[in-house]
Amino acid sequence: MTDLPLDLGPQARVIARLADGITDGQLADRTPCPESAVRNLLGHVAGLSVAFRDAGRKELGATTDTNPNDAVPDIGPGWREELPKALDELADAWRDPAAWTGMTRTGGLDLPGEIAGAVAVDELVIHGWDLARATGQPYEPDPAALRVAHDFLLAAAEDPSRGGGIFGPVVPVPADAPLLDRAVGLSGRDPGWER
């Protein structure tokens, strides 16, 4: 891993800006996540923001015990206010150096704080790309968050026990491609995906 702890605030603000740019007419559009429309991806980001907030605070319970694959998430009527708030709270929780130490839990898994924080960063970076691609918005992730996400995904892809990636088979990307494209490929997505 590189330079942890990391301020998740800049990447959380990128996600909030992307969400703000999504129209109601785009909520049913497809995304690079085959089983998720934009509304489902927004619901996933909202849920993971709360779960990782609580994991960072070490407030373990229902939000940190729920497997994210148990149900297809959706958004509620107040999502435009709730999502930015959850993202702010997530970033604030991980500003505490204690969040990055010891053990915590998320997605029903016990993890070292440093790994849980890296997973949170990865989720924000990759799902930011998903949302931007699905809704035709420009995407420039926080450079520090992108580096952490890339390094996390690279380590997972090189771990033989994981079978080549944690989100699906790695999509080959040229070694000289931009770092974002390499991270997206490591996440099992095609950087050339178009809506």
Side-chain angles (χ1 to χ4, degrees):
M1 297 292 168
T2 62
D3 300 330
L4 296 177
L6 168 80
D7 183 1
L8 277 64
Q11 184 60 29
R13 286 189 293 277
V14 169
I15 301 293
R17 281 193 300 272
L18 286 169
D20 190 51
I22 295 172
T23 67
D24 289 346
Q26 292 175 312
L27 294 176
D29 288 355
R30 67 187 190 97
T31 72
C33 304
E35 303 301 316
S36 297
V38 170
R39 68 179 309 111
N40 306 121
L41 190 52
L42 287 166
H44 176 66
V45 171
L48 75 85
S49 296
V50 171
F52 280 99
R53 174 202 69 197
D54 292 349
R57 292 175 177 172
K58 309 286 197 310
E59 294 176 0
L60 310 183
T63 59
T64 60
D65 288 343
T66 302
N67 183 322
N69 299 319
D70 284 350
V72 176
D74 203 347
I75 52 171
W79 75 270
R80 290 193 184 273
E81 295 77 34
E82 294 163 4
L83 179 58
K85 181 180 179 211
L87 287 163
D88 284 346
E89 291 174 351
L90 165 68
D92 189 55
W94 288 90
R95 286 187 183 108
D96 182 349
W100 299 88
T101 64
M103 295 296 289
T104 191
R105 174 182 289 253
T106 188
L109 300 172
D110 292 323
L111 299 168
E114 181 176 323
I115 299 299
V119 173
V121 172
D122 171 64
E123 292 274 353
L124 292 178
V125 168
I126 298 301
H127 289 318
W129 180 86
D130 291 333
L131 286 170
R133 279 299 171 111
T135 59
Q137 297 185 69
Y139 183 54
E140 290 187 29
D142 171 59
L146 174 57
R147 171 57 60 194
V148 169
H150 174 269
D151 291 353
F152 171 76
L153 289 163
L154 183 61
E158 292 175 345
D159 181 347
S161 70
R162 295 194 178 273
I166 57 175
F167 300 113
V170 169
V171 174
V173 176
D176 62 349
L179 187 62
L180 179 58
D181 287 357
R182 287 182 278 147
V184 167
L186 288 167
S187 77
R189 292 156 171 79
D190 178 356
W193 186 93
E194 297 194 12
R195 57 193 181 116

